[in-house]
Amino acid sequence: ALLLSQDENIQEQACGTIWSLSVNADNRPRIVQEGGLPSLITLLRHSNEKIQELAVLAIRNISTTDENKIKIVRLGGLPPLIGILRSTNMRVVEQAAGTLWSLSVSEENQIKIVQEDGLQLLIGLLRSPNENVVEQAAGCIRNLSMNDENDVKIVREGGLPPLIYLLAYPDPNIQEHAVVTLRNLSVNTDNKVMIVG
């Protein structure tokens, strides 16, 4: 109830408490069982960026279990998380992209993230000047590329040029995400022509 208080200070403190509790893996199922997830998802749309960031952080922590990955999406978490990718606050964008990366481990969610128009925004983030944002977006796209339905869409949405650019990125983790994604994309016959051409 405090998460949805009319007082922003109370909302921020309550959300900060949930986030702090969610750091401990033993608390995550309890937060979900007690009904905290729908309120946290609602707060993803909050105009106060601090509240929004705390909600994203808590959801990212909660998203570490397979059951919760599906629950977050079924409760409507994808549209606001994808919407946050448009924010100018790179801390919030980084956490939202990281949460999508976590959610994209699920095959079901890989399709839904693309259906909810997350792909184009994630591809755009590959060009971000913020290295942490690039890593989160590249990790998510790597997972999305494991789904055959997404392979052609990643190429069609303009994913090849930034992925090829990332092969020379200074961070080896980002390079790995790019090369694995390109390998996954190259399995599709149509994409082979695009990658080499």
Side-chain angles (χ1 to χ4, degrees):
L2 293 178
L3 285 174
L4 299 180
S5 166
Q6 296 303 309
D7 185 322
E8 279 193 17
N9 291 325
I10 291 173
Q11 281 184 315
E12 184 176 332
Q13 295 305 315
C15 203
T17 301
I18 298 294
W19 166 61
S20 183
L21 291 170
S22 74
V23 172
N24 182 326
D26 294 337
N27 292 331
R28 296 171 191 160
R30 184 74 187 261
I31 293 167
V32 174
Q33 290 165 1
E34 295 296 326
L37 201 48
S39 297
L40 288 168
I41 290 170
T42 297
L43 292 176
L44 292 174
R45 299 181 192 274
H46 204 287
S47 59
N48 179 318
E49 286 185 343
K50 184 63 180 170
I51 292 171
Q52 192 179 56
E53 181 180 7
L54 290 167
V56 173
L57 286 165
I59 291 171
R60 184 173 185 178
N61 288 341
I62 291 168
S63 75
T64 58
T65 68
D66 291 339
E67 182 181 341
N68 289 342
K69 289 178 194 331
I70 302 300
K71 224 173 243 186
I72 290 165
V73 171
R74 289 193 179 151
L75 289 171
L78 280 183
L81 283 167
I82 290 168
I84 290 171
L85 299 180
R86 292 183 175 92
S87 174
T88 56
N89 181 333
M90 287 299 111
R91 286 191 329 252
V92 179
V93 170
E94 175 189 345
Q95 295 306 322
T99 304
L100 290 168
W101 182 7
S102 176
L103 296 175
S104 70
V105 170
S106 156
E107 286 183 41
E108 182 180 327
N109 291 346
Q110 290 168 359
I111 295 168
K112 290 183 178 181
I113 290 168
V114 173
Q115 287 174 340
E116 293 287 341
D117 297 325
L119 182 58
Q120 191 169 22
L121 292 168
L122 288 162
I123 289 170
L125 292 176
L126 296 177
R127 300 179 190 276
S128 172
N130 184 309
E131 186 172 310
N132 295 329
V133 169
V134 172
E135 182 174 11
Q136 305 305 308
C140 185
I141 292 170
R142 175 182 178 170
N143 285 347
L144 296 179
S145 75
M146 293 168 53
N147 185 293
D148 294 338
E149 291 182 37
N150 292 337
D151 286 349
V152 173
K153 293 175 185 174
I154 291 169
V155 173
R156 191 179 326 129
E157 292 290 330
L160 279 182
L163 286 166
I164 291 168
Y165 169 79
L166 293 180
L167 294 175
Y169 206 85
D171 183 320
N173 293 324
I174 293 173
Q175 288 176 354
E176 180 182 343
H177 292 316
V179 75
V180 171
T181 302
L182 289 167
R183 182 199 65 210
N184 292 343
L185 297 179
S186 72
V187 173
N188 180 292
T189 306
D190 294 334
N191 286 344
K192 284 181 185 177
V193 174
M194 297 295 289
I195 293 170
V196 176

